[in-house]
Amino acid sequence: MSDRKYLNIEYKNILVSEIENGNGLSVGLIRLNRPKAMNALNVPTMEEVVTTFENFDNDREIGCIVITGNDKAFAAGADIKEMAEETTIGMLLKDQFARWDRIRKIKKPIIAAVSGYALGGGCELTMTCDMIIAAESATFGQPEINLAVMPGAGGTQRLTKAIGKARAMEIILTGRMVSAQEMYEAGLLTKVVHNEIYLEEAIALAKDIASKPAIAVQLAKESILNSMDTTIETGLELERKNFYMLFATEDKFEGMNAFIEKRKADWKHK
Ligand code: DAK
């Protein structure tokens, strides 16, 4: 049994909950909760977010994770007020990027449910997630250039890989706001939906994924992410190892036998 105390702690900058899912594993939900600051991602907020991702990842009852903000803002960026007096040495000594790197180690899928602004670090946080569901009025962008800085939490890399050099270059160098529809057409988003249902849609997707055999889900996620960072040969090698590994799970036998016996599979997630 996993330690589930983290679900009952009071957080300062986020709300954390579990959404039950019938026969499937639950969905872990994080809501960014600094409405007066447009959910700006200050250090304490990021620490709470990343620690909760890790807690969900270690919790056997959770199959998929959703992170959202409020209708006005997913997050309008890193907290400019916190960074205004910061220097290079201060930034280097604090090494806050280490916290962002921890997100890359999360094995369970993470879905960003975005309404309103997803700017700067907010946009980068959506891109560290595995899928993005956006309300049609959501606005994305990397406006750091207007502060005489540049994206530092993966924006120049993940945006470019997702939508290509020509479009990423224009968006980052102008800092302009980009509509959800444009980002969808460019390939950054999984889906754009009516404003009222963005969270509902993200949770429905998360529940669907959480009802699949968990080890297969996690190894498929690992293989897909690996494809972004490596050659086709190395990528195929990991895919094959993960594929073989799944033949050692109980769920593989259950899944195939359930198909042959024309019944619903009863996943054990092992
Ligand atoms: N930081 C701090 N406060 C913010 C904020 C932000 N990013 N965005 C909004 N707020 C605050 C405003 O200051 C205002 O506070 P009060 O004046 O009421 O005290 C309140 O939220 C409401 O904002 P507005 O009055 O401006 O609301 P509007 O509807 O008029 O405009 C807006 C909404 C989102 C268009 C506007 O607030 C805006 O342009 N915000 C800034 C967007 C931006 O430039 N974002 C990029 C920030 S730089 C790092 C990791 C990542 C990063 C850096 C380091 N490390 C790990 C080290 C990333 C950097 C960035 O994201």
Side-chain angles (χ1 to χ4, degrees):
M1 205 40 193
S2 329
D3 181 0
R4 316 200 76 216
K5 283 193 213 96
Y6 73 94
L7 285 167
N8 300 313
I9 296 169
E10 207 159 297
Y11 299 85
K12 226 171 147 236
N13 306 289
I14 62 173
L15 300 170
V16 175
S17 57
E18 172 187 20
I19 301 168
E20 287 182 5
N21 184 24
N23 291 329
L25 294 174
S26 298
V27 171
L29 178 66
I30 299 178
R31 257 181 199 278
L32 298 164
N33 191 32
R34 297 187 74 211
K36 288 189 186 134
M38 294 269 170
N39 286 335
L41 301 168
N42 61 4
V43 169
T45 304
M46 279 308 295
E47 182 55 34
E48 288 185 349
V49 166
V50 175
T51 302
T52 305
F53 280 159
E54 291 170 341
N55 285 330
F56 282 145
D57 215 30
N58 292 328
D59 184 341
R60 291 242 179 128
E61 314 284 319
I62 300 289
C64 192
I65 302 165
V66 174
I67 179 164
T68 193
N70 55 49
D71 292 350
K72 254 191 120 179
F74 175 80
D79 193 315
I80 299 169
K81 291 164 191 166
E82 192 179 58
M83 289 186 296
E85 300 305 321
E86 202 53 91
T87 62
T88 300
I89 300 300
M91 292 297 269
L92 273 170
L93 290 177
K94 285 180 191 149
D95 188 20
Q96 287 156 6
F97 293 116
R99 192 171 290 108
W100 288 72
D101 287 340
R102 282 159 56 196
I103 303 176
R104 291 174 54 213
K105 307 248 161 41
I106 303 296
K107 295 187 282 303
K108 291 174 186 167
I110 308 175
I111 302 171
V114 180
S115 177
Y117 296 108
L119 303 176
C123 187
E124 289 172 308
L125 181 57
T126 71
M127 293 189 287
T128 65
C129 296
D130 302 303
M131 287 157 279
I132 307 172
I133 303 285
E136 56 199 346
S137 62
T139 305
F140 293 79
Q142 297 288 161
E144 291 90 339
I145 204 82
N146 298 320
L147 304 169
V149 287
M150 58 176 273
T156 66
Q157 303 305 296
R158 294 199 178 92
L159 188 64
T160 307
K161 286 194 173 167
I163 71 174
K165 175 189 128 188
R167 282 190 274 210
M169 194 71 84
E170 186 258 341
I171 288 169
I172 289 172
L173 299 191
T174 64
R176 76 175 169 90
M177 305 268 188
V178 188
S179 71
Q181 189 57 33
E182 183 178 345
M183 279 304 202
Y184 175 73
E185 283 162 20
L188 187 72
L189 310 182
T190 307
K191 208 170 176 186
V192 180
V193 299
H194 291 308
N195 291 338
E196 304 72 39
I197 59 164
Y198 72 95
L199 184 55
E200 204 179 309
E201 282 278 323
I203 291 171
L205 174 60
K207 280 185 171 177
D208 187 14
I209 293 168
S211 68
K212 308 291 178 192
I215 302 176
V217 166
Q218 289 174 31
L219 294 186
K221 164 175 166 163
E222 183 191 46
S223 304
I224 295 166
L225 287 185
N226 188 57
S227 79
M228 320 271 284
D229 307 330
T230 190
T231 60
I232 183 84
E233 231 157 84
T234 316
L236 287 172
E237 213 170 285
L238 178 76
E239 181 191 69
R240 213 155 294 164
K241 277 191 189 134
N242 283 344
F243 181 79
Y244 283 142
M245 187 116 77
L246 289 170
F247 277 66
T249 63
E250 283 180 28
D251 282 342
K252 172 262 161 191
F253 295 98
E254 169 62 9
M256 294 192 181
N257 285 319
F259 173 81
I260 292 163
E261 292 159 17
K262 299 189 190 300
R263 60 174 174 83
K264 192 171 181 292
D266 179 17
W267 304 125
K268 298 285 186 258
H269 308 291
K270 48 188 189 175

